[in-house]
Amino acid sequence: MRPERRSRTKSNRRAGARPGLKTQMKPDRRSRAGTGGPPRKAAPSSQRTPPARSSAAAAAIPVAAAAATAEERRLRLRNRSTLEEDKPAVERCLEELVFGDVEGDEDALLRRLRGARVQLHEDSDDSEVENEAKDNFPPQKKPVWVDEEDEDEEMVDMKNNRFRKDMMKNASESKLSKERLQKRLKEEFQHAMGGVPAWAETSKRRTSSDDESEEDEDDLLQRTGNFLSTSASLPRGILKMKNCQHANAERPTTAQISSVQFHPCAQVVMVAGLDNAFSLFQVDGKTNPKIQSIYLEKFPIFKACFSANGEQVLATSTHSKVLYVYDMLAGKLIPVHQVRGLKERIVRSFEVSPDGSFLLINGIAGYSHLLVMKTKELIGSMKINGRVSASAFTSDSKKIYTYSGDGEVYVWDVSSRKCLNRFVDEGSLCGLSIATSRNGQYVACGSGCGVVNIYNQDSCLQETNPKPIKAIMNLVTGVTSLAFNPTTEILAVASEKMKEAVRLVHLPSCTVFSNFPVVKKKTISHVHSMDFSPRGGYFALGNEKGKALMYRLHHYSDF
């Protein structure tokens, strides 16, 4: 019984002296019991002192580490304050916006960066398509301030604005919303341009041509020079031009100028009139020296025209059936008194095909006669209802447009001389003039009421009732002259029944140039004939006062 009391006393003493040692001894007892050896006796009190020292040292280590951390932070803050003494306030503000206010706690910044890295690692598990979609759609921010008036749909007045009233489709569209007005403006632009231009299409993918353009841009940046140049297309609004010396200044006359035309190859202009003569002048824009004058006795010239190759001049009179042909190379004047099979008492109006193969003579009673240009032999005749007012070849010389005095347009095939199509010029009661563009895109018809309808040639060939692209209503008297320039960017319209009645129309916008003619000067008078030079650099017109006015168009560099 004694040993038990001693062991209980020792255990109580041990528990009362070192209460913390109980938890440390338990693992040792388990380990000993697991080995199966005899139980060891407890060590004396002198041998239990070293564990107390190690526990105190272990408790002192965190304190020392905390002190070292605090000292390191203090040094870091001192170094940071030293570096930021000379830092501008703008830079400090930018750092706060990017990294946040981490002046007192840089560990917060490290935690934020670690969190972003973890978030990035989580996002990497998503598919590439989802990641790309996330990149393309930035997070939307809530607006700071919203104006309630912006949400109200504002209406735009269409009726009382002179620029917008032409865009009204009906009377109910006196007011349109801004969104509908924007759509209407896009429609008007696409209608004027003939479709959506390439630079406005946003759905096109990048192709190899885009890569080539990037290489060209790199080459462009590697050299210096003047890269400013004029636009390739003619701008609308104002036409840059200047007055030149009259084309016939060296041979003045008071008779009416019936024809003025530029030579197709040389820098020469021809002027013919009712004074029984036609003259050739060298075009330099300053003096325009005379080359030659041909006088035809008792032969007031109704029309004179160059051949397609420029080697001959054809002339007809106001009251004769004779056709004069002047050979410029041989210097001979050849009269054609009679064409076999042609039963016309007077030969006045005629047209030369662009390829130089055919000659078309407009007769009476609705007949048009087709001749071989080289031999002046009759090929065949075409007849329309009513009177032939004007006619014109297409640019490929395969078709003929005939405009009747009743306002009807006939389309003929040159090879078979059959009528391909027939339509009524919209709103026309009396046809006076017709012209086709050199690029084969447009047909212009001038009526007796001063309206010029511009059609697309394809619609004229395929439709029985084509609608004009634009109706030019800037003249109030009959349109007697029409002329396209070589690049099909200008259409000249004129009336011989009223002074200063001439306009230049920009294509494809179908708008009139506002700076021509200068009404205050009143130098143009009644226009009877007009023409453009082969490359559009000059524009000439003849009036009833015997002057062949000439203008230099600065947009075109060549004659």
Side-chain angles (χ1 to χ4, degrees):
M1 296 299 296
R2 229 170 194 180
E4 284 181 1
R5 190 184 311 160
R6 186 172 20 179
S7 63
R8 192 184 307 119
T9 305
K10 287 184 179 180
S11 62
N12 295 337
R13 190 185 305 162
R14 207 167 34 243
R18 307 272 310 201
L21 192 61
K22 183 177 181 180
T23 57
Q24 296 178 3
M25 295 296 292
K26 286 182 179 180
D28 295 336
R29 290 173 183 170
R30 291 193 194 98
S31 62
R32 291 191 195 106
T35 55
R40 290 185 179 182
K41 294 183 179 180
S45 61
S46 61
Q47 296 179 0
R48 291 195 297 270
T49 305
R53 289 178 186 170
S54 61
S55 175
I61 289 174
V63 177
T69 304
E71 180 66 20
E72 182 181 357
R73 183 176 299 175
R74 186 179 62 80
L75 293 175
R76 191 184 303 166
L77 291 175
R78 187 180 67 180
N79 294 336
R80 180 178 176 182
S81 62
T82 304
L83 292 174
E84 290 185 352
E85 287 179 358
D86 299 332
K87 187 178 295 185
V90 178
E91 187 176 349
R92 289 198 298 270
C93 181
L94 182 61
E95 288 182 354
E96 290 182 2
L97 291 174
V98 176
F99 301 108
D101 189 8
V102 294
E103 182 178 359
D105 189 6
E106 292 187 358
D107 293 336
L109 175 61
L110 295 176
R111 286 194 297 270
R112 289 171 53 191
L113 294 176
R114 291 194 190 100
R117 185 178 301 173
V118 173
Q119 183 67 24
L120 180 62
H121 178 70
E122 292 177 356
D123 293 343
S124 63
D125 296 336
D126 299 336
S127 63
E128 296 181 359
V129 178
E130 294 177 353
N131 293 333
E132 184 178 357
K134 293 178 182 178
D135 295 338
N136 293 336
F137 294 94
Q140 295 183 355
K141 296 182 180 180
K142 185 178 180 180
V144 180
W145 176 74
V146 178
D147 190 356
E148 297 179 354
E149 295 182 357
D150 291 343
E151 298 179 359
D152 298 337
E153 190 174 17
E154 183 178 353
M155 305 302 291
V156 180
D157 188 9
M158 303 287 292
K159 187 175 182 180
N160 297 325
N161 190 296
R162 61 178 183 143
F163 298 106
R164 301 194 197 108
K165 64 181 181 180
D166 294 337
M167 293 187 290
M168 294 174 55
K169 293 184 178 180
N170 49 53
S172 62
E173 294 185 345
S174 59
K175 289 186 178 181
L176 292 178
S177 62
K178 286 186 175 181
E179 184 178 357
R180 291 188 61 189
L181 178 59
Q182 186 178 8
K183 292 181 180 179
R184 187 65 52 82
L185 290 172
K186 287 183 179 180
E187 292 175 1
E188 291 289 332
F189 176 77
Q190 294 178 8
H191 179 72
M193 298 300 295
V196 180
W199 55 263
E201 294 180 357
T202 58
S203 61
K204 287 189 174 181
R205 299 280 186 180
R206 289 179 57 86
T207 57
S208 59
S209 61
D210 298 331
D211 300 334
E212 295 177 358
S213 63
E214 289 184 357
E215 295 179 359
D216 296 339
E217 291 177 359
D218 296 338
D219 297 338
L220 182 68
L221 297 175
Q222 292 177 1
R223 58 189 179 92
T224 60
N226 184 15
F227 297 105
L228 297 178
S229 61
T230 57
S231 175
S233 60
L234 179 67
R236 65 177 183 177
I238 295 178
L239 182 62
K240 295 182 179 180
M241 58 193 306
K242 72 171 183 179
N243 295 332
C244 298
Q245 178 68 274
H246 298 167
N248 60 340
E250 291 199 355
R251 189 187 179 277
T253 180
T254 57
Q256 172 185 309
I257 303 298
S258 57
S259 295
V260 57
Q261 186 186 14
F262 290 94
H263 194 277
C265 304
Q267 198 162 337
V268 175
V269 63
M270 177 188 63
V271 179
L274 300 181
D275 58 350
N276 305 336
F278 64 88
S279 303
L280 303 177
F281 301 91
Q282 182 73 33
V283 177
D284 60 3
K286 297 178 181 180
T287 60
N288 302 322
K290 186 181 74 170
I291 300 174
Q292 190 179 14
S293 292
I294 306 297
Y295 181 79
L296 305 175
E297 189 173 358
K298 296 181 181 181
F299 198 85
I301 297 177
F302 177 83
K303 182 176 181 178
C305 179
F306 284 109
S307 61
N309 56 10
E311 297 179 357
Q312 296 178 345
V313 176
L314 287 75
T316 58
S317 177
T318 58
H319 58 271
S320 175
K321 65 177 182 179
V322 178
L323 172 68
Y324 273 101
V325 179
Y326 177 70
D327 191 343
M328 299 176 62
L329 299 179
K332 294 182 179 181
L333 187 63
I334 306 171
V336 180
H337 295 280
Q338 183 67 37
V339 176
R340 181 177 298 180
L342 185 62
K343 300 178 181 180
E344 294 289 343
R345 298 177 58 185
I346 298 176
V347 176
R348 299 174 66 182
S349 177
F350 68 93
E351 298 294 333
V352 178
S353 64
D355 63 355
S357 302
F358 305 103
L359 175 65
L360 182 69
I361 297 178
N362 297 326
I364 61 174
Y367 281 97
S368 297
H369 309 283
L370 189 65
L371 283 71
V372 179
M373 181 64 186
K374 187 175 182 179
T375 61
K376 308 299 184 292
E377 294 179 350
L378 180 64
I379 299 176
S381 300
M382 297 161 285
K383 188 181 185 307
I384 66 172
N385 297 331
R387 174 179 55 88
V388 178
S389 296
S391 59
F393 281 93
T394 57
S395 58
D396 57 2
S397 302
K398 293 183 179 180
K399 299 177 183 62
I400 298 173
Y401 286 86
T402 304
Y403 199 17
S404 71
D406 300 332
E408 285 188 307
V409 180
Y410 296 79
V411 185
W412 303 89
D413 180 56
V414 173
S415 59
S416 63
R417 295 176 300 283
K418 292 182 179 180
C419 184
L420 301 178
N421 195 14
R422 171 185 173 184
F423 63 91
V424 178
D425 183 21
E426 189 176 79
S428 175
L429 300 177
C430 177
L432 293 179
S433 57
I434 191 170
T436 59
S437 61
R438 299 191 186 182
N439 65 349
Q441 184 177 1
Y442 300 111
V443 176
C445 301
S447 64
C449 58
V451 179
V452 178
N453 287 328
I454 302 176
Y455 295 91
N456 191 307
Q457 282 200 29
D458 294 336
S459 62
C460 293
L461 294 174
Q462 300 172 2
E463 301 177 13
T464 57
N465 188 22
K467 298 295 181 181
I469 299 173
K470 182 71 175 181
I472 308 299
M473 301 183 181
N474 294 80
L475 301 180
V476 295
T477 54
V479 181
T480 54
S481 299
L482 292 171
F484 286 93
N485 80 323
T487 60
T488 318
E489 293 177 313
I490 302 175
L491 170 64
V493 299
S495 174
E496 63 182 20
K497 300 179 181 180
M498 188 175 181
K499 290 185 177 181
E500 313 298 317
V502 58
R503 299 292 185 271
L504 297 179
V505 182
H506 175 265
L507 296 174
S509 66
C510 298
T511 57
V512 176
F513 290 102
S514 59
N515 62 322
F516 184 84
V518 181
V519 182
K520 294 182 180 179
K521 293 185 178 180
K522 294 187 181 298
T523 57
I524 296 179
S525 192
H526 298 268
V527 177
H528 290 266
S529 178
M530 52 189 180
D531 189 33
F532 290 92
S533 61
R535 291 180 178 83
Y538 287 88
F539 172 62
L541 49 86
N543 59 19
E544 91 288 356
K545 295 183 178 180
K547 294 180 180 179
L549 308 178
M550 193 161 60
Y551 301 88
R552 177 71 174 92
L553 307 184
H554 294 292
H555 179 78
Y556 305 100
S557 57
D558 297 334
F559 171 78

